[in-house]
Amino acid sequence: SRAQNKVAKTDVMTLIEDLKWRELHADCTDLDALSKRLEEGPLTLYCGFDPTGDTLHVGHLMGQLTLRRFQLAGHRPLALAGGATGMVGDPSGKSAERNLLTREQLTHNVSSIKKQLARLLDFECAENPAQLVDNADWTAPLSFLDFLRDVGKHFSVNAMLAKDSVKSRMDGDSGISYTEFSYQLLQAYDFHHLRETHQCELQIGGSDQWGNITAGTDLIRKKSGSTAWGWTFPLITKADGTKFGKTEGGAVWLDPQKTSPYKFYQFFVNTEDAKVVEYLKKFTFLSRAEIEEFEVHHLENPHRREAHKALAREVTRIVHGQDALDAAIKASEILFGAEIGETSEETFKDVVGEVPTKEITASQLEADGNTLIELLVHSGLCPSKGQARKDIQGGGIYVNNVKSPDINRAITSSDLLFGKYLLLRKGKRSYTVLKLS
């Protein structure tokens, strides 16, 4: 995207400094040594995404965007879809055992997630193209005995029990199964395999992945004596410390069929004031100077919500593309009185989902004497015909966002948008959609 292309390929120390400024550094196995390695030239890094569902959500963006930041600095990113680890389930951050998925579910989920991973990374560039890998490709052929002998013997049960992800579950009521307890061995083996086959030297992930990542660096050191690093970024939270990425309607998904680009855009527009600058740093490729300018505007004129709109624009463009962003903005503007014009039915449906909707039959619409006054009462925008008449005469009534001052105006099927919708508005922000049933 254009936003991503604004980032210049600067020296690698600037990358580390930029990640720290963006608050994308929670921990690193050896920051000084990693910094020196980055000075020597490009390296390969990876981040894993388990296919527990057929779409990723906004919480997964941190891994993808961080991979992209490294790629823009000249490094080669690997995006790992966990076709094998997804069968086990990562206990990190979970208070109870996951439901195990079937192979058919996992195959479908991996296929869907790979498409989403491909949107944010550049797989076509000549110097350092991204690559998608699936850990089922190298884990499935292993026998249980081979895995115990070649991997399990390098792990101390004492050390495994000391991992936070395991300790928290051991201390809870539900405990942890041997299946999930073994997850860190599988993730460690992934890192070792990628170190051997792709010269992958760095694994990144959320701070809840620290135990799994360090298990990998330890396995690499014990089996091959090679150097490898782990880098974690903080988990994203809301201002009250609760989990990021949830709304009243559920999770905010990256799949446009599950969370429309309009609702995705609105999610970021409605970011809490206390978090908007932080999210600009973490979720966009805007430069430090641009973000600091938005921060000044936000502090001086928070009511204008310039930072919120910039955040929503950039993230929606990155995830869904310019056309989807344009449609999302158009839908938002309709709810602020903009002309409907060439809006698509798909975009208008997003508007319908945001305002009260009442059904009306064709016979009701075409009935004799059925005027705008009648429909205003039917819609609930006006409590009576007398009030409807006053509102029309006062210039406060709009049909499809066009002012309608005629108290005798008849409404017919020709007024319907897409043959089925009528958008009525009273004043600046009171809307109702009448939908032909």
Side-chain angles (χ1 to χ4, degrees), residues 12-13 15-21 23-32 34-35 38 45-47 62 66 70 191 201-207 209-210 213-214 217 228-234:
V12 289
M13 279 304 295
L15 169 64
I16 295 292
E17 292 169 356
D18 184 61
L19 291 173
K20 285 186 172 183
W21 174 76
E23 302 172 47
L24 292 173
H25 171 236
D27 216 333
C28 180
T29 49
D30 188 337
L31 184 57
D32 289 339
L34 176 61
S35 298
L38 291 172
L45 71 153
Y46 96 93
C47 185
M62 279 302 91
T66 306
F70 273 89
F191 198 179
E201 300 175 65
L202 173 64
Q203 181 183 174
I204 65 171
S207 56
Q209 292 296 306
W210 181 248
I213 291 174
T214 54
T217 57
W229 290 273
W231 175 290
T232 60
F233 38 81

mmCIF file of all heavy atoms in Angstrom, residues 12-13 15-21 23-32 34-35 38 45-47 62 66 70 191 201-207 209-210 213-214 217 228-234:
data_model
loop_
_atom_site.group_PDB
_atom_site.id
_atom_site.type_symbol
_atom_site.label_atom_id
_atom_site.label_comp_id
_atom_site.label_asym_id
_atom_site.label_seq_id
_atom_site.Cartn_x
_atom_site.Cartn_y
_atom_site.Cartn_z
ATOM 1 N N VAL A 12 19.687 -0.872 9.788
ATOM 2 C CA VAL A 12 18.962 -1.770 10.670
ATOM 3 C C VAL A 12 18.854 -1.249 12.092
ATOM 4 O O VAL A 12 17.900 -1.561 12.794
ATOM 5 C CB VAL A 12 19.619 -3.170 10.663
ATOM 6 C CG1 VAL A 12 19.360 -3.856 9.350
ATOM 7 C CG2 VAL A 12 21.108 -3.077 10.939
ATOM 8 N N MET A 13 19.810 -0.456 12.556
ATOM 9 C CA MET A 13 19.683 0.097 13.896
ATOM 10 C C MET A 13 18.482 1.016 13.983
ATOM 11 O O MET A 13 17.821 1.077 15.005
ATOM 12 C CB MET A 13 20.964 0.835 14.299
ATOM 13 C CG MET A 13 22.073 -0.077 14.790
ATOM 14 S SD MET A 13 21.557 -1.107 16.181
ATOM 15 C CE MET A 13 21.259 0.138 17.425
ATOM 16 N N LEU A 15 15.773 0.467 12.475
ATOM 17 C CA LEU A 15 14.652 -0.448 12.632
ATOM 18 C C LEU A 15 14.438 -0.783 14.110
ATOM 19 O O LEU A 15 13.318 -0.717 14.612
ATOM 20 C CB LEU A 15 14.892 -1.728 11.830
ATOM 21 C CG LEU A 15 13.933 -2.882 12.109
ATOM 22 C CD1 LEU A 15 12.509 -2.504 11.714
ATOM 23 C CD2 LEU A 15 14.384 -4.149 11.395
ATOM 24 N N ILE A 16 15.514 -1.149 14.819
ATOM 25 C CA ILE A 16 15.394 -1.480 16.247
ATOM 26 C C ILE A 16 14.886 -0.278 17.023
ATOM 27 O O ILE A 16 13.985 -0.398 17.867
ATOM 28 C CB ILE A 16 16.750 -1.939 16.817
ATOM 29 C CG1 ILE A 16 17.198 -3.251 16.170
ATOM 30 C CG2 ILE A 16 16.682 -2.090 18.331
ATOM 31 C CD1 ILE A 16 16.337 -4.436 16.526
ATOM 32 N N GLU A 17 15.428 0.862 16.741
ATOM 33 C CA GLU A 17 14.989 2.073 17.434
ATOM 34 C C GLU A 17 13.524 2.381 17.126
ATOM 35 O O GLU A 17 12.775 2.801 18.009
ATOM 36 C CB GLU A 17 15.878 3.252 17.029
ATOM 37 C CG GLU A 17 17.307 3.134 17.535
ATOM 38 C CD GLU A 17 18.245 4.161 16.901
ATOM 39 O OE1 GLU A 17 17.789 4.904 16.012
ATOM 40 O OE2 GLU A 17 19.432 4.190 17.300
ATOM 41 N N ASP A 18 13.147 2.157 15.875
ATOM 42 C CA ASP A 18 11.767 2.417 15.476
ATOM 43 C C ASP A 18 10.814 1.453 16.190
ATOM 44 O O ASP A 18 9.745 1.846 16.664
ATOM 45 C CB ASP A 18 11.621 2.275 13.964
ATOM 46 C CG ASP A 18 10.222 2.627 13.470
ATOM 47 O OD1 ASP A 18 9.807 3.785 13.675
ATOM 48 O OD2 ASP A 18 9.547 1.753 12.906
ATOM 49 N N LEU A 19 11.198 0.182 16.283
ATOM 50 C CA LEU A 19 10.356 -0.796 16.980
ATOM 51 C C LEU A 19 10.193 -0.427 18.453
ATOM 52 O O LEU A 19 9.109 -0.558 19.017
ATOM 53 C CB LEU A 19 10.959 -2.195 16.854
ATOM 54 C CG LEU A 19 10.925 -2.828 15.459
ATOM 55 C CD1 LEU A 19 11.707 -4.130 15.446
ATOM 56 C CD2 LEU A 19 9.500 -3.070 14.997
ATOM 57 N N LYS A 20 11.258 0.052 19.044
ATOM 58 C CA LYS A 20 11.167 0.477 20.449
ATOM 59 C C LYS A 20 10.273 1.698 20.582
ATOM 60 O O LYS A 20 9.438 1.776 21.493
ATOM 61 C CB LYS A 20 12.566 0.783 20.988
ATOM 62 C CG LYS A 20 13.413 -0.455 21.275
ATOM 63 C CD LYS A 20 14.721 -0.040 21.932
ATOM 64 C CE LYS A 20 15.512 -1.234 22.407
ATOM 65 N NZ LYS A 20 16.760 -0.825 23.115
ATOM 66 N N TRP A 21 10.428 2.674 19.668
ATOM 67 C CA TRP A 21 9.609 3.879 19.743
ATOM 68 C C TRP A 21 8.132 3.525 19.553
ATOM 69 O O TRP A 21 7.254 4.122 20.187
ATOM 70 C CB TRP A 21 10.052 4.879 18.676
ATOM 71 C CG TRP A 21 9.151 6.077 18.630
ATOM 72 C CD1 TRP A 21 9.127 7.121 19.507
ATOM 73 C CD2 TRP A 21 8.108 6.327 17.679
ATOM 74 N NE1 TRP A 21 8.140 8.016 19.166
ATOM 75 C CE2 TRP A 21 7.491 7.549 18.047
ATOM 76 C CE3 TRP A 21 7.632 5.641 16.566
ATOM 77 C CZ2 TRP A 21 6.435 8.097 17.336
ATOM 78 C CZ3 TRP A 21 6.573 6.178 15.855
ATOM 79 C CH2 TRP A 21 5.991 7.405 16.240
ATOM 80 N N GLU A 23 6.759 1.015 20.621
ATOM 81 C CA GLU A 23 6.389 0.182 21.774
ATOM 82 C C GLU A 23 6.121 -1.260 21.339
ATOM 83 O O GLU A 23 5.220 -1.935 21.845
ATOM 84 C CB GLU A 23 5.168 0.767 22.490
ATOM 85 C CG GLU A 23 5.383 2.194 22.986
ATOM 86 C CD GLU A 23 4.092 2.825 23.510
ATOM 87 O OE1 GLU A 23 3.380 2.157 24.287
ATOM 88 O OE2 GLU A 23 3.813 3.978 23.124
ATOM 89 N N LEU A 24 6.935 -1.727 20.392
ATOM 90 C CA LEU A 24 6.820 -3.090 19.892
ATOM 91 C C LEU A 24 7.936 -3.984 20.411
ATOM 92 O O LEU A 24 8.252 -5.009 19.799
ATOM 93 C CB LEU A 24 6.830 -3.072 18.351
ATOM 94 C CG LEU A 24 5.604 -2.447 17.694
ATOM 95 C CD1 LEU A 24 5.788 -2.320 16.193
ATOM 96 C CD2 LEU A 24 4.348 -3.259 18.012
ATOM 97 N N HIS A 25 8.522 -3.612 21.529
ATOM 98 C CA HIS A 25 9.572 -4.426 22.142
ATOM 99 C C HIS A 25 9.181 -4.742 23.577
ATOM 100 O O HIS A 25 9.118 -3.862 24.432
ATOM 101 C CB HIS A 25 10.911 -3.675 22.120
ATOM 102 C CG HIS A 25 11.988 -4.368 22.918
ATOM 103 N ND1 HIS A 25 12.670 -3.738 23.928
ATOM 104 C CD2 HIS A 25 12.465 -5.627 22.857
ATOM 105 C CE1 HIS A 25 13.543 -4.577 24.456
ATOM 106 N NE2 HIS A 25 13.429 -5.734 23.816
ATOM 107 N N ALA A 26 8.873 -6.013 23.818
ATOM 108 C CA ALA A 26 8.605 -6.454 25.186
ATOM 109 C C ALA A 26 9.835 -7.147 25.751
ATOM 110 O O ALA A 26 10.240 -6.897 26.891
ATOM 111 C CB ALA A 26 7.408 -7.403 25.223
ATOM 112 N N ASP A 27 10.454 -8.030 24.944
ATOM 113 C CA ASP A 27 11.637 -8.748 25.408
ATOM 114 C C ASP A 27 12.426 -9.245 24.207
ATOM 115 O O ASP A 27 11.902 -9.366 23.097
ATOM 116 C CB ASP A 27 11.242 -9.932 26.291
ATOM 117 C CG ASP A 27 12.235 -10.158 27.426
ATOM 118 O OD1 ASP A 27 13.418 -9.794 27.253
ATOM 119 O OD2 ASP A 27 11.820 -10.672 28.475
ATOM 120 N N CYS A 28 13.696 -9.547 24.447
ATOM 121 C CA CYS A 28 14.571 -10.099 23.416
ATOM 122 C C CYS A 28 15.588 -10.979 24.110
ATOM 123 O O CYS A 28 16.061 -10.647 25.206
ATOM 124 C CB CYS A 28 15.264 -8.976 22.636
ATOM 125 S SG CYS A 28 16.366 -9.566 21.319
ATOM 126 N N THR A 29 15.919 -12.098 23.496
ATOM 127 C CA THR A 29 16.837 -13.037 24.147
ATOM 128 C C THR A 29 18.225 -12.431 24.356
ATOM 129 O O THR A 29 18.883 -12.722 25.350
ATOM 130 C CB THR A 29 16.954 -14.331 23.319
ATOM 131 O OG1 THR A 29 17.205 -13.993 21.944
ATOM 132 C CG2 THR A 29 15.673 -15.139 23.410
ATOM 133 N N ASP A 30 18.680 -11.606 23.448
ATOM 134 C CA ASP A 30 19.964 -10.909 23.602
ATOM 135 C C ASP A 30 19.944 -9.736 22.634
ATOM 136 O O ASP A 30 20.377 -9.848 21.490
ATOM 137 C CB ASP A 30 21.137 -11.847 23.302
ATOM 138 C CG ASP A 30 22.486 -11.209 23.648
ATOM 139 O OD1 ASP A 30 22.568 -9.958 23.693
ATOM 140 O OD2 ASP A 30 23.458 -11.952 23.874
ATOM 141 N N LEU A 31 19.442 -8.592 23.102
ATOM 142 C CA LEU A 31 19.211 -7.447 22.220
ATOM 143 C C LEU A 31 20.508 -6.915 21.634
ATOM 144 O O LEU A 31 20.569 -6.592 20.447
ATOM 145 C CB LEU A 31 18.486 -6.338 22.983
ATOM 146 C CG LEU A 31 18.101 -5.105 22.158
ATOM 147 C CD1 LEU A 31 17.237 -5.488 20.969
ATOM 148 C CD2 LEU A 31 17.370 -4.092 23.033
ATOM 149 N N ASP A 32 21.561 -6.842 22.436
ATOM 150 C CA ASP A 32 22.838 -6.321 21.925
ATOM 151 C C ASP A 32 23.375 -7.205 20.808
ATOM 152 O O ASP A 32 23.827 -6.708 19.765
ATOM 153 C CB ASP A 32 23.854 -6.221 23.058
ATOM 154 C CG ASP A 32 23.535 -5.111 24.051
ATOM 155 O OD1 ASP A 32 22.780 -4.193 23.666
ATOM 156 O OD2 ASP A 32 24.015 -5.164 25.191
ATOM 157 N N LEU A 34 21.684 -9.314 18.924
ATOM 158 C CA LEU A 34 20.805 -9.224 17.761
ATOM 159 C C LEU A 34 21.066 -7.935 16.991
ATOM 160 O O LEU A 34 21.112 -7.935 15.754
ATOM 161 C CB LEU A 34 19.344 -9.290 18.200
ATOM 162 C CG LEU A 34 18.305 -9.113 17.077
ATOM 163 C CD1 LEU A 34 18.444 -10.202 16.018
ATOM 164 C CD2 LEU A 34 16.886 -9.095 17.642
ATOM 165 N N SER A 35 21.258 -6.844 17.705
ATOM 166 C CA SER A 35 21.534 -5.562 17.043
ATOM 167 C C SER A 35 22.805 -5.657 16.207
ATOM 168 O O SER A 35 22.852 -5.164 15.071
ATOM 169 C CB SER A 35 21.670 -4.452 18.090
ATOM 170 O OG SER A 35 20.471 -4.291 18.809
ATOM 171 N N LEU A 38 22.127 -7.683 13.080
ATOM 172 C CA LEU A 38 21.373 -6.931 12.091
ATOM 173 C C LEU A 38 22.265 -5.939 11.344
ATOM 174 O O LEU A 38 22.023 -5.635 10.171
ATOM 175 C CB LEU A 38 20.209 -6.192 12.758
ATOM 176 C CG LEU A 38 19.083 -7.080 13.300
ATOM 177 C CD1 LEU A 38 18.089 -6.258 14.105
ATOM 178 C CD2 LEU A 38 18.379 -7.815 12.180
ATOM 179 N N LEU A 45 13.512 -14.199 9.357
ATOM 180 C CA LEU A 45 12.762 -14.297 10.615
ATOM 181 C C LEU A 45 11.402 -14.891 10.331
ATOM 182 O O LEU A 45 10.952 -14.925 9.180
ATOM 183 C CB LEU A 45 12.605 -12.917 11.245
ATOM 184 C CG LEU A 45 11.642 -11.929 10.558
ATOM 185 C CD1 LEU A 45 11.104 -10.934 11.588
ATOM 186 C CD2 LEU A 45 12.348 -11.170 9.428
ATOM 187 N N TYR A 46 10.748 -15.379 11.383
ATOM 188 C CA TYR A 46 9.401 -15.913 11.173
ATOM 189 C C TYR A 46 8.483 -15.593 12.324
ATOM 190 O O TYR A 46 8.913 -15.292 13.440
ATOM 191 C CB TYR A 46 9.457 -17.431 10.924
ATOM 192 C CG TYR A 46 9.234 -18.338 12.119
ATOM 193 C CD1 TYR A 46 7.958 -18.829 12.417
ATOM 194 C CD2 TYR A 46 10.299 -18.745 12.932
ATOM 195 C CE1 TYR A 46 7.751 -19.689 13.487
ATOM 196 C CE2 TYR A 46 10.101 -19.604 13.998
ATOM 197 C CZ TYR A 46 8.816 -20.077 14.277
ATOM 198 O OH TYR A 46 8.608 -20.922 15.342
ATOM 199 N N CYS A 47 7.192 -15.670 12.005
ATOM 200 C CA CYS A 47 6.139 -15.536 13.008
ATOM 201 C C CYS A 47 5.070 -16.568 12.666
ATOM 202 O O CYS A 47 4.730 -16.740 11.485
ATOM 203 C CB CYS A 47 5.536 -14.126 13.003
ATOM 204 S SG CYS A 47 4.320 -13.817 14.316
ATOM 205 N N MET A 62 -0.425 -7.610 14.745
ATOM 206 C CA MET A 62 0.895 -7.238 15.242
ATOM 207 C C MET A 62 1.989 -8.095 14.628
ATOM 208 O O MET A 62 3.044 -7.601 14.216
ATOM 209 C CB MET A 62 0.945 -7.352 16.767
ATOM 210 C CG MET A 62 0.363 -6.186 17.536
ATOM 211 S SD MET A 62 1.141 -4.604 17.141
ATOM 212 C CE MET A 62 0.084 -4.039 15.819
ATOM 213 N N THR A 66 4.673 -6.527 12.042
ATOM 214 C CA THR A 66 6.080 -6.534 12.460
ATOM 215 C C THR A 66 6.940 -7.264 11.446
ATOM 216 O O THR A 66 8.060 -6.839 11.134
ATOM 217 C CB THR A 66 6.234 -7.139 13.866
ATOM 218 O OG1 THR A 66 5.376 -6.443 14.777
ATOM 219 C CG2 THR A 66 7.670 -7.017 14.357
ATOM 220 N N PHE A 70 10.150 -5.555 9.261
ATOM 221 C CA PHE A 70 11.463 -6.160 9.008
ATOM 222 C C PHE A 70 11.702 -6.300 7.507
ATOM 223 O O PHE A 70 12.816 -6.060 7.026
ATOM 224 C CB PHE A 70 11.555 -7.533 9.692
ATOM 225 C CG PHE A 70 12.029 -7.487 11.121
ATOM 226 C CD1 PHE A 70 11.132 -7.346 12.158
ATOM 227 C CD2 PHE A 70 13.384 -7.587 11.422
ATOM 228 C CE1 PHE A 70 11.559 -7.304 13.481
ATOM 229 C CE2 PHE A 70 13.831 -7.548 12.731
ATOM 230 C CZ PHE A 70 12.910 -7.402 13.775
ATOM 231 N N PHE A 191 11.082 -23.882 14.982
ATOM 232 C CA PHE A 191 12.183 -22.915 14.902
ATOM 233 C C PHE A 191 13.462 -23.626 14.476
ATOM 234 O O PHE A 191 14.209 -23.149 13.611
ATOM 235 C CB PHE A 191 12.351 -22.221 16.255
ATOM 236 C CG PHE A 191 13.129 -20.926 16.206
ATOM 237 C CD1 PHE A 191 13.331 -20.190 17.383
ATOM 238 C CD2 PHE A 191 13.657 -20.418 15.024
ATOM 239 C CE1 PHE A 191 14.049 -18.991 17.366
ATOM 240 C CE2 PHE A 191 14.361 -19.229 14.992
ATOM 241 C CZ PHE A 191 14.563 -18.518 16.168
ATOM 242 N N GLU A 201 16.963 -17.048 11.666
ATOM 243 C CA GLU A 201 17.693 -16.738 12.895
ATOM 244 C C GLU A 201 16.852 -16.050 13.966
ATOM 245 O O GLU A 201 17.310 -15.896 15.099
ATOM 246 C CB GLU A 201 18.899 -15.845 12.571
ATOM 247 C CG GLU A 201 19.899 -16.472 11.620
ATOM 248 C CD GLU A 201 21.012 -15.499 11.239
ATOM 249 O OE1 GLU A 201 21.789 -15.120 12.135
ATOM 250 O OE2 GLU A 201 21.073 -15.114 10.058
ATOM 251 N N LEU A 202 15.655 -15.628 13.620
ATOM 252 C CA LEU A 202 14.856 -14.842 14.559
ATOM 253 C C LEU A 202 13.395 -15.270 14.504
ATOM 254 O O LEU A 202 12.827 -15.434 13.429
ATOM 255 C CB LEU A 202 14.955 -13.351 14.206
ATOM 256 C CG LEU A 202 14.066 -12.371 14.975
ATOM 257 C CD1 LEU A 202 14.430 -12.356 16.464
ATOM 258 C CD2 LEU A 202 14.180 -10.970 14.381
ATOM 259 N N GLN A 203 12.810 -15.459 15.679
ATOM 260 C CA GLN A 203 11.369 -15.701 15.785
ATOM 261 C C GLN A 203 10.750 -14.547 16.560
ATOM 262 O O GLN A 203 11.283 -14.127 17.584
ATOM 263 C CB GLN A 203 11.064 -17.018 16.511
ATOM 264 C CG GLN A 203 9.564 -17.293 16.595
ATOM 265 C CD GLN A 203 9.208 -18.543 17.368
ATOM 266 O OE1 GLN A 203 8.036 -18.826 17.616
ATOM 267 N NE2 GLN A 203 10.209 -19.314 17.770
ATOM 268 N N ILE A 204 9.623 -14.040 16.060
ATOM 269 C CA ILE A 204 8.924 -12.964 16.749
ATOM 270 C C ILE A 204 7.529 -13.439 17.140
ATOM 271 O O ILE A 204 6.987 -14.370 16.552
ATOM 272 C CB ILE A 204 8.824 -11.688 15.887
ATOM 273 C CG1 ILE A 204 7.954 -11.935 14.639
ATOM 274 C CG2 ILE A 204 10.205 -11.176 15.499
ATOM 275 C CD1 ILE A 204 7.623 -10.676 13.854
ATOM 276 N N GLY A 205 6.957 -12.802 18.155
ATOM 277 C CA GLY A 205 5.612 -13.157 18.595
ATOM 278 C C GLY A 205 5.176 -12.273 19.743
ATOM 279 O O GLY A 205 5.953 -11.444 20.241
ATOM 280 N N GLY A 206 3.940 -12.438 20.153
ATOM 281 C CA GLY A 206 3.428 -11.692 21.295
ATOM 282 C C GLY A 206 4.111 -12.115 22.581
ATOM 283 O O GLY A 206 4.712 -13.194 22.661
ATOM 284 N N SER A 207 4.013 -11.278 23.601
ATOM 285 C CA SER A 207 4.714 -11.550 24.853
ATOM 286 C C SER A 207 4.271 -12.855 25.508
ATOM 287 O O SER A 207 5.026 -13.464 26.270
ATOM 288 C CB SER A 207 4.534 -10.381 25.827
ATOM 289 O OG SER A 207 3.163 -10.111 26.047
ATOM 290 N N GLN A 209 4.102 -15.534 24.030
ATOM 291 C CA GLN A 209 4.843 -16.584 23.341
ATOM 292 C C GLN A 209 6.284 -16.729 23.831
ATOM 293 O O GLN A 209 7.036 -17.545 23.294
ATOM 294 C CB GLN A 209 4.855 -16.293 21.830
ATOM 295 C CG GLN A 209 3.507 -16.425 21.163
ATOM 296 C CD GLN A 209 2.994 -17.847 21.217
ATOM 297 O OE1 GLN A 209 3.673 -18.768 20.793
ATOM 298 N NE2 GLN A 209 1.804 -18.032 21.760
ATOM 299 N N TRP A 210 6.660 -15.959 24.826
ATOM 300 C CA TRP A 210 8.059 -15.933 25.262
ATOM 301 C C TRP A 210 8.570 -17.331 25.617
ATOM 302 O O TRP A 210 9.661 -17.731 25.207
ATOM 303 C CB TRP A 210 8.210 -14.978 26.441
ATOM 304 C CG TRP A 210 9.616 -14.856 26.954
ATOM 305 C CD1 TRP A 210 10.097 -15.295 28.158
ATOM 306 C CD2 TRP A 210 10.734 -14.265 26.286
ATOM 307 N NE1 TRP A 210 11.431 -15.010 28.274
ATOM 308 C CE2 TRP A 210 11.848 -14.376 27.137
ATOM 309 C CE3 TRP A 210 10.891 -13.645 25.035
ATOM 310 C CZ2 TRP A 210 13.104 -13.892 26.798
ATOM 311 C CZ3 TRP A 210 12.150 -13.164 24.695
ATOM 312 C CH2 TRP A 210 13.235 -13.293 25.566
ATOM 313 N N ILE A 213 9.045 -19.414 22.466
ATOM 314 C CA ILE A 213 10.148 -18.918 21.637
ATOM 315 C C ILE A 213 11.503 -19.295 22.248
ATOM 316 O O ILE A 213 12.410 -19.758 21.541
ATOM 317 C CB ILE A 213 10.029 -17.390 21.446
ATOM 318 C CG1 ILE A 213 8.809 -17.073 20.555
ATOM 319 C CG2 ILE A 213 11.298 -16.806 20.830
ATOM 320 C CD1 ILE A 213 8.508 -15.585 20.422
ATOM 321 N N THR A 214 11.649 -19.112 23.551
ATOM 322 C CA THR A 214 12.932 -19.450 24.186
ATOM 323 C C THR A 214 13.165 -20.959 24.186
ATOM 324 O O THR A 214 14.321 -21.408 24.169
ATOM 325 C CB THR A 214 13.004 -18.903 25.624
ATOM 326 O OG1 THR A 214 11.851 -19.364 26.363
ATOM 327 C CG2 THR A 214 13.023 -17.382 25.627
ATOM 328 N N THR A 217 14.949 -21.352 20.883
ATOM 329 C CA THR A 217 16.358 -20.930 20.866
ATOM 330 C C THR A 217 17.219 -21.924 21.643
ATOM 331 O O THR A 217 18.356 -22.206 21.245
ATOM 332 C CB THR A 217 16.519 -19.517 21.461
ATOM 333 O OG1 THR A 217 15.996 -19.484 22.789
ATOM 334 C CG2 THR A 217 15.774 -18.487 20.614
ATOM 335 N N ALA A 228 20.431 -18.202 17.584
ATOM 336 C CA ALA A 228 19.092 -17.766 17.169
ATOM 337 C C ALA A 228 18.549 -16.827 18.238
ATOM 338 O O ALA A 228 18.953 -16.891 19.400
ATOM 339 C CB ALA A 228 18.167 -18.966 16.977
ATOM 340 N N TRP A 229 17.639 -15.959 17.827
ATOM 341 C CA TRP A 229 17.098 -14.958 18.747
ATOM 342 C C TRP A 229 15.581 -15.029 18.789
ATOM 343 O O TRP A 229 14.930 -15.483 17.839
ATOM 344 C CB TRP A 229 17.516 -13.548 18.309
ATOM 345 C CG TRP A 229 18.958 -13.260 18.495
ATOM 346 C CD1 TRP A 229 19.590 -12.773 19.609
ATOM 347 C CD2 TRP A 229 19.994 -13.433 17.515
ATOM 348 N NE1 TRP A 229 20.936 -12.644 19.392
ATOM 349 C CE2 TRP A 229 21.222 -13.039 18.107
ATOM 350 C CE3 TRP A 229 20.024 -13.892 16.195
ATOM 351 C CZ2 TRP A 229 22.434 -13.075 17.443
ATOM 352 C CZ3 TRP A 229 21.223 -13.943 15.519
ATOM 353 C CH2 TRP A 229 22.415 -13.534 16.145
ATOM 354 N N GLY A 230 15.047 -14.529 19.878
ATOM 355 C CA GLY A 230 13.609 -14.376 20.018
ATOM 356 C C GLY A 230 13.281 -12.931 20.360
ATOM 357 O O GLY A 230 14.014 -12.281 21.112
ATOM 358 N N TRP A 231 12.216 -12.427 19.783
ATOM 359 C CA TRP A 231 11.769 -11.042 20.021
ATOM 360 C C TRP A 231 10.265 -11.081 20.269
ATOM 361 O O TRP A 231 9.522 -11.683 19.491
ATOM 362 C CB TRP A 231 12.077 -10.186 18.786
ATOM 363 C CG TRP A 231 11.569 -8.766 18.846
ATOM 364 C CD1 TRP A 231 10.261 -8.348 18.788
ATOM 365 C CD2 TRP A 231 12.354 -7.584 18.963
ATOM 366 N NE1 TRP A 231 10.191 -6.984 18.865
ATOM 367 C CE2 TRP A 231 11.462 -6.482 18.979
ATOM 368 C CE3 TRP A 231 13.718 -7.342 19.058
ATOM 369 C CZ2 TRP A 231 11.905 -5.171 19.078
ATOM 370 C CZ3 TRP A 231 14.151 -6.035 19.156
ATOM 371 C CH2 TRP A 231 13.254 -4.954 19.169
ATOM 372 N N THR A 232 9.818 -10.461 21.338
ATOM 373 C CA THR A 232 8.376 -10.384 21.579
ATOM 374 C C THR A 232 7.925 -8.933 21.661
ATOM 375 O O THR A 232 8.685 -8.053 22.041
ATOM 376 C CB THR A 232 7.973 -11.094 22.879
ATOM 377 O OG1 THR A 232 8.639 -10.499 23.993
ATOM 378 C CG2 THR A 232 8.283 -12.579 22.814
ATOM 379 N N PHE A 233 6.669 -8.731 21.263
ATOM 380 C CA PHE A 233 6.045 -7.410 21.385
ATOM 381 C C PHE A 233 4.900 -7.523 22.390
ATOM 382 O O PHE A 233 4.341 -8.611 22.596
ATOM 383 C CB PHE A 233 5.535 -6.911 20.024
ATOM 384 C CG PHE A 233 4.937 -7.974 19.156
ATOM 385 C CD1 PHE A 233 3.630 -8.411 19.346
ATOM 386 C CD2 PHE A 233 5.683 -8.552 18.138
ATOM 387 C CE1 PHE A 233 3.083 -9.393 18.559
ATOM 388 C CE2 PHE A 233 5.140 -9.547 17.335
ATOM 389 C CZ PHE A 233 3.838 -9.970 17.546
ATOM 390 N N PRO A 234 4.541 -6.421 23.041
ATOM 391 C CA PRO A 234 3.479 -6.484 24.058
ATOM 392 C C PRO A 234 2.140 -6.865 23.440
ATOM 393 O O PRO A 234 1.854 -6.535 22.291
ATOM 394 C CB PRO A 234 3.426 -5.054 24.618
ATOM 395 C CG PRO A 234 4.715 -4.412 24.199
ATOM 396 C CD PRO A 234 5.096 -5.060 22.909
#
